[in-house]
Amino acid sequence: MADLSTSFVGIKSPNPFWLASAPPTDKAYNVVRAYKAGWGGVVWKTLGEDGPPVVNVNGPRYGAVWGADRRLLGLNNIELITDRPLEVNLREIKQVKRDWKDRALVVSLMVPCTEDAWKAILKRVEETDADGIELNFGCPHGMAERGMGSAVGQVPEYIEMVTRWCKENTRMPVIVKLTPNIADIRKPAEAALRGGADAVSLINTVNSITSVDLDRFAPEPTLDGKGTHGGYCGPAVKPIALNMVAEIARNPATRDLPISGIGGVTTWRDAAEFMALGAGNVQVCTAAMTYGFKVVEEMISGLSQYLDEKAMTLPDLVGRAVPNVTDWQYLNLNYVTKAVINQDDCIKCGRCYAACEDTSHQAIDMSADRVFSVKEEECVACNLCVDVCPVENCITMRELAPGEVDKRTGKPVAPYANWTTHPNNPSVSAAE
């Protein structure tokens, strides 16, 4: 069985699966249950400064987006940081860490944007013997309106400033949690690095309204006839998260910055994808809230089996796909494929025909007895038929070998060439 133990910025854990800062990590009871289920670490739900606890709503806190089978695709969360007293949280953190020395325990923090406020809470967190801190620069609702959360995370100068305050006032590793509600994720990551961050974690939740009640005409979740924007998480945000992780991992300025991947991790495969794009570990929330803490068992066994089958170690996986992420202009424009339909597997549903005929390139023919075939002279290999087909691997894409004639263009497949050298590129024409 593959060794899944990790050391992320010096924080050791028996596996790379951590629970993200969220309702599942709000108290010792939950965290202990998570450890017993097998989670390698947790990021304790965000603590605020001492004083009157934060006030959360007492009505619905989540909105949802479902698939056709009511599979949960995403949650909209309007809950704020912990509403439990700081002293209670700190006492529980200290006890849990004492009892579970082999598990990672990182504390998420969010306080007003003053050095004194950060210095005060850092000192108290250090006394718990927690393994590190995560700066919550991502919360898009409630706290942002108070000048915290994404209000800080959207301003690189603030990120750098607060990160530097923390590095100067604590011995603990500092992880900076980034908001996706920004145009270019590389800028806040670079700011965190300039401030001395040991790592970044991403993505935090996406600003969103998931639905509108068409009887009450208010966003959901609805409280007393009103609703608000919240933070969107779950499987639906995974593509956004993967892209942002990859952007940081392949950016020359941040390529060596450790990354904790967050956003829609539900299975071992999701975790492996994040790690292949540069994440050293992953954090999970929605999957645990949907299926319970024991979902980690499948993640552990699945990732271990995958690594064994590939004869890889966990460090071998981290960043493995990064060299293959490129910009559009460097893609091989002479790479040609054609769709192929396996008639033995085809269930004659006609989805491929409808999609291609109505919205693509009219490259699939339907006979009178509903046999579907590809018209190679029209096929541009867009892959839409593969994506809409309900039968896995019924439609595949065949690569044309160099020199083979493309029936659509009537020309043989040429060697590699990209947009930077293409004759249709006006920049190339101008240079000539």
Side-chain angles (χ1 to χ4, degrees):
M1 188 171 181
D3 180 11
L4 297 186
S5 62
T6 63
S7 179
F8 185 76
V9 297
I11 302 172
K12 295 181 179 180
S13 59
N15 62 63
F17 302 107
W18 293 7
L19 282 174
S21 168
T25 62
D26 190 34
K27 57 176 72 74
Y29 177 84
N30 290 8
V31 171
V32 169
R33 284 177 60 81
Y35 284 159
K36 288 180 178 179
W39 291 90
V42 304
V43 182
W44 201 279
K45 185 171 169 66
T46 306
L47 310 184
E49 64 182 346
D50 209 357
V54 162
V55 178
N56 270 298
V57 298
N58 292 310
R61 298 181 183 183
Y62 305 107
V65 173
W66 297 280
D69 59 354
R70 204 173 164 81
R71 177 186 173 223
L72 187 65
L73 300 180
L75 283 177
N76 174 292
N77 175 17
I78 64 169
E79 183 169 298
L80 304 182
I81 65 175
T82 183
D83 51 15
R84 303 167 71 234
L86 177 61
E87 184 59 42
V88 172
N89 277 296
L90 293 173
R91 184 170 63 248
E92 290 185 2
I93 291 168
K94 186 170 185 175
Q95 185 62 52
V96 170
K97 186 58 192 175
R98 182 179 299 166
D99 295 342
W100 296 84
K101 292 183 174 62
D102 68 322
R103 307 301 172 95
L105 198 164
V106 173
V107 179
S108 177
L109 298 175
M110 181 194 296
V111 297
C113 208
T114 66
E115 186 171 7
D116 286 344
W118 283 99
K119 287 174 67 174
I121 199 166
L122 288 170
K123 183 176 184 298
R124 300 186 68 179
V125 173
E126 277 196 351
E127 293 170 352
T128 68
D129 293 325
D131 295 306
I133 58 170
E134 183 180 78
L135 312 186
N136 185 343
F137 292 158
C139 187
H141 58 279
M143 310 313 294
E145 286 80 350
R146 307 179 198 190
M148 296 182 280
S150 62
V152 177
Q154 291 170 336
V155 184
E157 292 79 8
Y158 293 171
I159 294 174
E160 180 179 351
M161 177 179 68
V162 177
T163 303
R164 183 170 289 112
W165 289 342
C166 292
K167 286 299 295 180
E168 291 174 349
N169 288 284
T170 185
R171 57 169 174 74
M172 297 179 290
V174 175
I175 303 169
V176 176
K177 191 172 187 179
L178 302 179
T179 176
N181 302 304
I182 195 163
D184 187 345
I185 196 64
R186 295 172 297 181
K187 301 304 181 186
E190 290 172 9
L193 184 60
R194 288 194 301 270
D198 296 284
V200 292
S201 58
L202 69 154
I203 58 174
N204 209 313
T205 53
V206 180
N207 209 358
S208 64
I209 291 176
T210 50
S211 57
V212 175
D213 186 313
L214 292 179
D215 292 315
R216 292 182 287 184
F217 297 102
E220 295 179 316
T222 305
L223 290 93
D224 195 24
K226 304 289 184 183
T228 186
H229 66 96
Y232 193 47
C233 58
V237 309
K238 176 188 160 189
I240 300 170
L242 287 176
N243 175 61
M244 290 188 171
V245 166
E247 285 293 281
I248 293 173
R250 72 190 190 98
N251 177 23
T254 54
R255 62 167 54 125
D256 295 323
L257 182 62
I259 300 170
S260 183
I262 311 170
V265 177
T266 306
T267 67
W268 72 265
R269 183 178 294 273
D270 297 327
E273 290 175 10
F274 271 92
M275 299 183 78
L277 287 174
N281 69 8
V282 293
Q283 296 183 33
V284 179
C285 173
T286 307
M289 295 176 75
T290 306
Y291 303 110
F293 286 150
K294 288 193 175 182
V295 70
V296 75
E297 294 177 357
E298 183 275 340
M299 296 179 182
I300 292 170
S301 63
L303 182 59
S304 181
Q305 181 176 339
Y306 168 77
L307 292 173
D308 285 342
E309 290 174 354
K310 292 289 187 181
M312 293 170 57
T313 66
L314 197 61
D316 291 334
L317 175 61
V318 177
R320 190 71 173 263
V322 174
N324 292 327
V325 182
T326 189
D327 296 326
W328 189 94
Q329 63 264 34
Y330 301 119
L331 295 175
N332 182 6
L333 298 181
N334 288 334
Y335 178 79
V336 181
T337 62
K338 298 292 180 180
V340 177
I341 301 174
N342 184 327
Q343 299 300 332
D344 292 335
D345 292 339
C346 181
I347 60 174
K348 303 184 186 304
C349 67
R351 287 190 190 177
C352 60
Y353 174 79
C356 190
E357 189 71 14
D358 290 351
T359 70
S360 195
H361 293 84
Q362 297 75 53
I364 294 180
D365 183 61
M366 179 177 67
S367 69
D369 56 349
R370 294 184 68 81
V371 173
F372 300 94
S373 57
V374 177
K375 297 184 282 187
E376 288 199 3
E377 65 277 11
E378 301 294 342
C379 180
V380 301
C382 69
N383 207 52
L384 179 61
C385 56
V386 175
D387 292 335
V388 302
C389 179
V391 180
E392 187 174 3
N393 294 323
C394 177
I395 306 178
T396 55
M397 303 303 292
R398 179 180 73 87
E399 178 184 349
L400 272 60
E404 185 175 352
V405 175
D406 180 352
K407 292 181 180 179
R408 187 176 68 87
T409 64
K411 299 177 181 180
V413 175
Y416 170 89
N418 61 46
W419 180 244
T420 66
T421 60
H422 198 281
N424 286 14
N425 186 335
S427 299
V428 174
S429 301
E432 295 174 349

